[in-house]
């Protein structure tokens, strides 16, 4: 950024105070400010802000770190807590992969057996197939009633649910439904992009709190990513590739933090 | 794993400083940092960033998301924090006028919209470049700068008025 002396913008002044300019550009602005007292007063006021912020919060780094922020201890506790149902999830996903392989070979009976198994992933695929193909009534509560939706689902799941916003990636919330997952209530959120593709996010409360890595599964044109995050079992399903799925899962994961 | 823990540990002072700036409350800030570290340790998975330099921005993102969620929930159910706790978090210079002005600054920063405060502090307090801060907040650099500009303007209006009043009273 090397502004000509006559057209110095607010952006330049800001960058000047935040030290984002080259030495040469900074000198030019310093000279310009000498003949523009009003702008100089603003810049000085911003500098005072920086100094106040530093004197308020800089001393924190000199404070001793409290024992509860000991990462080695946290890590040890985490390792002791163990992987929880991770092996079970792995088995379920393996089962699905075998099943979808069998499906493609034409062994439909084998796959049906696998799908009837009580796995959250299988249920999420089934729910996606059933609801995402509905043109007129894909959801029970529409996405423009987001607050009501989150309140209702939070009450029914007995878990404070945040409805993830995926609009930055082009997926708009169509709405959500309450669905049975095994014998428990589950939330099924549906998103749609400009091409009319739909992805669903299934959320259920896990039997035991824990965390698992995201696991990938495929079934025909659909793919899914499943993970457990604290008390929530999460599965994203959609007719999209692994990368797109991963982007959505990452955004969901961050917002549910 | 121990490299990973070392990298996380090295970020703790700046995470605590940033969290203190966001919340202006010692306990809330350390709660936030603790949650952030625990999540980071649990997620040595696909979501974990690759490469050394990637750990700090990743941690800042986790911290900010935890904070935003907290803010959202607090919006629906405001938490009551005792006043003593609030006062105790402020540094106390001997000069009463300086103390007053710092208090006013803290109040004005806390009154900013969350995203403006998050942006301003990443750049001024954490010393991050515009592009680093924009990446953490996942917004374009122009958006970041306009948030900072708005935050600075609001602070200036409130604080310079205060300075004038202090001078007028003397």
């Amino acid at each position: 950024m090397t502004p000509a002396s006559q057209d110095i913008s607010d952006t330049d002044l800001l960058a000047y105070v935040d030290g984002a300019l080259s030495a040469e550009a900074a000198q030019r602005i310093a000279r310009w400010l000498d003949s523009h007292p009003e702008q100089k007063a603003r810049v000085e006021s911003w500098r005072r802000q920086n100094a106040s912020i530093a004197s308020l919060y800089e001393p924190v780094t000199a404070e001793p770190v409290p024992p509860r922020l000991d990462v080695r201890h946290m890590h040890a506790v985490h390792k002791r807590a163990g992987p929880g149902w991770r092996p079970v999830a792995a088995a379920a996903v393996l089962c699905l992969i075998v099943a979808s392989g069998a499906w493609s070979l034409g062994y439909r009976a084998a796959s049906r057996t696998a799908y009837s198994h009580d796995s959250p992933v299988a249920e999420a695929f089934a729910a996606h197939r059933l609801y995402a193909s509905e043109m007129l009534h894909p959801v029970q509560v529409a996405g423009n009633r987001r607050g009501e939706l989150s309140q209702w689902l939070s009450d029914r799941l007995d878990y404070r649910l945040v409805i993830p916003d995926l609009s930055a990636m082009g997926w708009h919330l169509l709405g959500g439904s309450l669905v049975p997952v095994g014998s428990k209530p589950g939330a099924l959120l549906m998103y749609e992009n400009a091409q009319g593709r739909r992805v669903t996010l299934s959320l259920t409360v896990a039997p035991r709190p824990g965390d698992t890595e995201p696991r990938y599964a495929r079934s025909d044109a659909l793919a899914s990513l499943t993970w457990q995050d604290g008390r929530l079992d999460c599965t994203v399903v959609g007719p999209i590739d692994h990368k797109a799925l991963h982007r959505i899962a990452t955004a969901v994961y961050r917002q549910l933090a | 794993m121990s490299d990973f823990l070392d990298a996380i540990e090295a970020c703790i002072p700046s995470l605590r400083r940033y969290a203190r700036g966001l919340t202006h409350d010692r306990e809330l800030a350390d709660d936030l940092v603790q949650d952030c570290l625990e999540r980071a340790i649990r997620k040595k998975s696909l979501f974990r960033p690759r490469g050394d330099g990637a750990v700090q921005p990743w941690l800042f993102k986790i911290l900010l998301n935890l904070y935003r969620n907290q803010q959202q929930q607090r919006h629906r159910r405001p938490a009551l924090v005792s006043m003593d706790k609030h006062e105790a978090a402020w540094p106390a210079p001997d000069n009463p006028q300086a103390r007053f002005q710092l208090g006013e600054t803290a109040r004005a920063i806390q009154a900013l919209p969350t995203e403006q405060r998050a942006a301003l502090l990443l750049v001024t307090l954490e010393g991050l470049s515009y592009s680093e801060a924009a990446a953490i907040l996942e917004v374009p650099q122009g958006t970041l700068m306009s948030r900072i500009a708005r935050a600075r303007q609001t602070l200036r209006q409130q604080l310079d008025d205060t300075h004038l009043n202090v001078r007028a009273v003397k």
Side-chain angles (χ1 to χ4, degrees):
Chain A
M1 253 184 272
T2 52
S5 52
Q6 57 271 34
D7 57 358
I8 281 171
S9 67
D10 276 10
T11 308
D12 300 323
L13 293 180
L14 207 58
Y16 173 67
V17 171
D18 291 327
L21 295 182
S22 68
E24 190 196 343
Q27 274 171 15
R28 186 168 308 160
I29 291 200
R31 279 198 299 276
W32 181 84
L33 285 174
D34 283 337
S35 54
H36 294 79
E38 258 182 47
Q39 297 304 319
K40 193 168 185 171
R42 280 175 80 207
V43 164
E44 277 165 3
S45 155
W46 294 347
R47 287 236 159 94
R48 280 198 300 278
Q49 292 171 8
N50 289 2
S52 301
I53 289 170
S55 44
L56 275 168
Y57 304 116
E58 197 54 59
V60 176
T61 52
E63 290 174 11
V65 174
R68 65 183 174 122
L69 301 183
D70 179 348
V71 288
R72 270 154 246 285
H73 177 71
M74 282 179 200
H75 178 56
V77 169
H78 171 67
K79 262 167 75 179
R80 263 206 307 280
W85 63 278
R86 202 176 295 198
V88 180
V93 171
L94 188 65
C95 199
L96 264 178
I97 291 168
V98 170
S100 57
W103 184 293
S104 66
L105 288 169
Y107 296 112
R108 283 170 169 264
S111 73
R112 213 168 281 137
T113 318
Y115 276 88
S116 68
H117 194 71
D118 188 18
S119 132
V121 187
E123 304 238 18
F125 273 121
H128 183 95
R129 287 207 172 86
L130 185 63
Y131 292 100
S133 59
E134 268 297 323
M135 290 326 292
L136 284 180
H137 308 291
V139 295
Q140 292 166 354
V141 174
N144 56 7
R145 285 147 70 197
R146 186 180 280 264
E148 185 188 333
L149 181 62
S150 104
Q151 189 62 57
W152 171 54
L153 291 173
S154 298
D155 288 347
R156 294 306 306 267
L157 268 67
D158 197 19
Y159 181 91
R160 189 172 282 274
L161 267 192
V162 176
I163 308 284
D165 180 358
L166 306 175
S167 54
M169 285 177 274
W171 295 97
H172 297 281
L173 181 68
L174 275 180
S177 304
L178 185 67
V179 297
V181 177
S183 56
K184 288 185 308 178
L188 186 76
L189 303 175
M190 198 180 300
Y191 298 84
E192 189 174 59
N193 71 2
Q195 288 80 46
R197 288 189 163 193
R198 289 174 174 178
V199 296
T200 52
L201 169 62
S202 312
L203 302 167
T204 52
V205 175
R208 274 194 312 272
D211 290 283
T212 62
E213 294 174 15
R215 309 260 174 186
Y216 180 67
R218 283 203 69 83
S219 166
D220 297 334
L222 295 177
S224 75
L225 211 53
T226 300
W227 69 98
Q228 186 184 355
D229 184 4
R231 284 184 57 213
L232 272 191
D233 278 331
C234 314
T235 303
V236 182
V237 178
I240 52 177
D241 67 14
H242 180 273
K243 272 190 184 160
L245 208 52
H246 192 264
R247 274 199 297 278
I248 291 175
T250 307
V252 168
Y253 160 77
R254 285 187 180 143
Q255 293 182 42
L256 291 176
Chain B
M1 192 62 209
S2 114
D3 286 357
F4 177 59
L5 289 180
D6 287 346
I8 291 185
E9 197 166 36
C11 298
I12 292 178
S14 59
L15 288 171
R16 292 186 74 214
R17 174 176 61 195
Y18 187 60
R20 190 79 64 90
L22 285 178
T23 63
H24 198 76
D25 181 299
R26 188 191 306 265
E27 290 302 313
L28 284 182
D30 281 344
D31 285 351
L32 208 52
V33 174
Q34 186 177 353
D35 285 354
C36 167
L37 297 173
E38 279 170 355
R39 284 187 81 78
I41 286 167
R42 282 192 273 134
K43 308 285 158 180
K44 31 186 203 318
S45 65
L46 268 184
F47 292 116
R48 179 180 156 190
R50 312 278 169 218
D52 280 353
V55 168
Q56 194 191 17
W58 177 63
L59 290 173
F60 272 109
K61 272 189 202 177
I62 297 180
L63 186 101
L64 271 165
N65 280 315
L66 288 166
Y67 178 64
R68 289 185 186 116
N69 271 353
Q70 231 177 51
Q71 292 285 98
Q72 242 176 28
Q73 288 173 8
R74 192 151 303 152
H75 201 64
R76 278 183 280 177
R77 190 188 290 177
L80 299 172
V81 180
S82 85
M83 281 311 290
D84 305 352
K85 230 167 109 184
H86 259 270
E87 300 299 334
W90 294 355
D94 292 337
N95 172 351
Q97 189 185 330
R99 191 160 56 214
F100 173 76
Q101 278 168 4
L102 271 189
E104 288 303 303
T105 307
R107 242 186 274 276
I109 292 172
Q110 293 308 304
L112 291 172
T114 303
E115 295 302 320
Q116 286 184 25
R117 179 166 60 252
L120 179 71
L121 293 174
L122 277 180
V123 172
T124 56
L125 185 59
E126 296 306 315
L128 298 185
S129 71
Y130 290 143
S131 65
E132 287 167 330
I136 286 172
L137 295 169
E138 294 173 313
V139 296
Q141 197 166 309
T143 308
L144 174 87
M145 289 186 75
S146 75
R147 281 181 190 167
I148 294 177
R150 267 177 286 150
R152 285 200 181 283
Q153 186 179 351
T154 309
L155 290 184
R156 180 168 186 228
Q157 275 161 2
Q158 299 186 356
L159 298 177
D160 290 3
D161 286 356
T162 316
H163 283 244
L164 290 180
N165 289 342
V166 169
R167 256 176 254 143
V169 168
K170 274 204 293 184

